[in-house]
Amino acid sequence: MKKFKFRAPKLKQATPDQLTDRLLLINLYLTQGLTFIIGIIWILFQRRNPLELFAVQPGSYFWAWGLGLAAVMFLIDFAVSRITPEEVMDDGGINQLLFRKRPVWHIIFIAAVVAVCEELLFRGAVQHSFGPYWTSILFAAIHVRYLRHWIPTAWVFLSSYGLGYIYIHSGTLLAPVVCHFAIDCISGLVIRFRRES
């Protein structure tokens, strides 16, 4: 009788030049879909209604919270990018590959999907269980492409903490979704239309 040998699949990290556009989009939408499903299940286990997280309280000014934090984050990011070398803020070329040749409508769509899925999981579910500090540590850890340098890792942590802060003070998940969407959308459009130096 012949014995079968089960081999563990070999996983290796792909570099940006090995990624095709199709593979990058499949990875993006697959991870965001999993993020959304995990967020919904986690919230349901907390015996909460996911739709109620998006409810707007009278006078919450969630647009002001979201766009205000986005403006502050852009100003800080602009200042940091002026005083640090470009390679320190490098994400390995993933954002460039994702947005450089993407149509505008697709950049907007990607920003909306990422904002809703990630905020539902991190602010809606994880933060309810562990608070904004530990949520921000987890949020920074999953953004693996930034972990090679401490400045972008710290920046992702602080951004996440800010998103948690505006969620608490606005009382609606729409505030961090608006902020996250604005940051990703504007950043994607800047990469799309930036002239090559």
Side-chain angles (χ1 to χ4, degrees):
M1 188 162 160
K2 194 174 184 180
K3 281 190 172 181
F4 289 103
K5 290 185 179 180
F6 292 101
R7 295 181 189 171
K10 292 182 180 179
L11 299 175
K12 64 178 185 175
Q13 184 176 357
T15 60
D17 58 322
Q18 295 172 320
L19 289 175
T20 64
D21 190 56
R22 183 172 181 268
L23 185 60
L24 183 63
L25 288 177
I26 288 170
N27 183 53
L28 173 76
Y29 288 123
L30 184 63
T31 56
Q32 293 307 310
L34 287 171
T35 299
F36 183 79
I37 291 167
I38 293 168
I40 293 288
I41 292 170
W42 195 325
I43 291 166
L44 292 174
F45 272 114
Q46 294 170 339
R47 300 183 191 276
R48 297 158 65 223
N49 181 347
L51 295 177
E52 288 178 2
L53 301 178
F54 293 93
V56 178
Q57 306 300 324
S60 73
Y61 302 107
F62 72 91
W63 287 101
W65 280 107
L67 294 177
L69 179 60
V72 168
M73 290 169 70
F74 275 121
L75 288 172
I76 294 170
D77 188 53
F78 180 76
V80 169
S81 68
R82 292 288 166 223
I83 61 174
T84 58
E86 190 173 327
E87 60 272 4
V88 170
M89 297 299 282
D90 182 36
D91 71 339
I94 299 297
N95 287 340
Q96 182 79 7
L97 189 60
L98 183 62
F99 295 118
R100 184 70 187 130
K101 296 180 181 175
R102 193 83 43 219
V104 171
W105 71 266
H106 203 173
I107 292 172
I108 294 168
F109 182 74
I110 289 171
V113 167
V114 170
V116 170
C117 294
E118 290 187 2
E119 293 310 312
L120 185 73
L121 174 62
F122 288 97
R123 256 48 68 186
V126 178
Q127 183 166 310
H128 184 76
S129 296
F130 301 113
Y133 177 78
W134 290 107
T135 300
S136 298
I137 290 199
L138 180 61
F139 191 76
I142 66 137
H143 286 80
V144 181
R145 64 186 189 267
Y146 297 112
L147 295 178
R148 289 176 297 162
H149 303 291
W150 71 270
I151 292 177
T153 302
W155 181 235
V156 171
F157 172 83
L158 292 172
S159 301
S160 176
Y161 200 84
L163 291 166
Y165 179 85
I166 66 170
Y167 174 49
I168 291 167
H169 288 281
S170 68
T172 178
L173 202 56
L174 286 175
V177 166
V178 165
C179 181
H180 200 146
F181 170 78
I183 290 166
D184 287 355
C185 187
I186 293 169
S187 298
L189 291 171
V190 166
I191 291 170
R192 170 69 175 81
F193 292 107
R194 182 172 44 205
R195 293 181 181 176
E196 294 291 335
S197 55

